[in-house]
Amino acid sequence: MKDHPLHGRDFLKLLDFSSEEIMGLIDLASELKKKKKAGIPHAVYQGRNLALIFEKTSTRTRCAFEVAAHDLGMGTTYLNPKDSQIGKKESIRDTARVLSGMFDGIEYRGFGQEIVEELAKYSDVPVFNGLTNEFHPTQMLADLLTVKEHFGRLSGIRFAYLGDARYNTGNSLMVACAKMGLHFTIVAPEKYHPDKALQDTCREIAASTGGSITLTEDVREGTKDADVISTDVWVSMGEPDEIWEERIRDLSPYRVDKAVMDNASPEAIFLHCLPSFHDLGTGIGREIHEKYGLNEMEVTDEVFESPASLVFEEAENRMHTIKAVLYAML
Ligand code: CP
Ligand code: NVA
């Protein structure tokens, strides 16, 4: 929006934004959510268009961008590497300049963070990171909105994350919690802890927001009295299948089960960006079951389906928060 302080900015990672700017986006998302629920139209971007590049698969992020854009009156075009020139026949730099001439904004989901940064460098229009190996910033806005809706605040909330913490979700949660003054605890074997430089950056940020960053390998200690328990899949998109065996061995002790929830605060909630392997309802889930005998992986079905689990509210909030990003930055 022309008069919004974030007008014209890219949304590539939360590290690029101040705590006030992030809170502004969360509050804007709440406002837009209320409008949507009340049936108040907000199609402020009629005649504008958004390109959606997905080099990895997606349900939530793609649908959230499409529905948010359509609610704002925009058109969308979905591109994947299979049926576009991106990467194979055309560089990211050239793609950026072509799409900038036709679209008002570009969403990109793919591999290295440097790709979305390059896309943004050569685009004349705002670029939005829909997930890279390193960061998943739109997911963070949804998670923060869900926590704020539930507890009425972000500051001082004790947020524990179990599992692979050196990939997009773990890295981004550490940044998000540091920026917004939450007490963030990573509960994982040391080799799954985030990059040391990012830890140091987040500790420095947390020191100025009243938050904190703690790393532990001990599940009981790390989840004690937590307000939020969260996790992610053990093997992320783009990682090789051969890695499952090692991940199952390393991360099974970090599965979110009833004992973990019972050790947390009695009011604790469970969050997961999804998709999740909590039963045998998926192809990969069944394959892993046949090979390793597991019925559930990073979270038990009992916790996933419990009243403490806000995963579907969190998924819905992807749309409201992505709408806030589009509304502010276009
Ligand atoms: N949480 C998330 O990004 O989901 P998708 O992979 O379905 O977009
Ligand atoms: N870490 C997961 C997140 C999915 C939304 C992945 O990258 O596959």
Side-chain angles (χ1 to χ4, degrees), residues 140-151:
M140 295 306 110
L141 295 180
D143 292 9
L144 292 169
L145 175 61
T146 310
V147 171
K148 185 154 186 268
E149 284 176 340
H150 188 79
F151 293 105

Side-chain angles (χ1 to χ4, degrees), residues 295-312:
N295 290 329
E296 42 206 9
M297 287 192 257
E298 72 277 4
V299 56
T300 61
D301 200 46
E302 185 182 18
V303 170
F304 188 91
E305 297 294 354
S306 71
S309 172
L310 298 189
V311 295
F312 297 111

Side-chain angles (χ1 to χ4, degrees), residues 54 57-62 109 130-131 136 139 237 273-275 318:
F54 280 86
T57 51
S58 169
T59 296
R60 274 147 294 275
T61 309
R62 177 179 174 182
R109 163 173 287 197
L131 176 145
H136 196 3
Q139 179 72 50
M237 289 182 278
C273 61
L274 306 183
R318 297 296 310 285

Side-chain angles (χ1 to χ4, degrees), residues 67 134 169 212 235:
V67 173
E134 291 85 355
T169 302
S212 61
V235 175

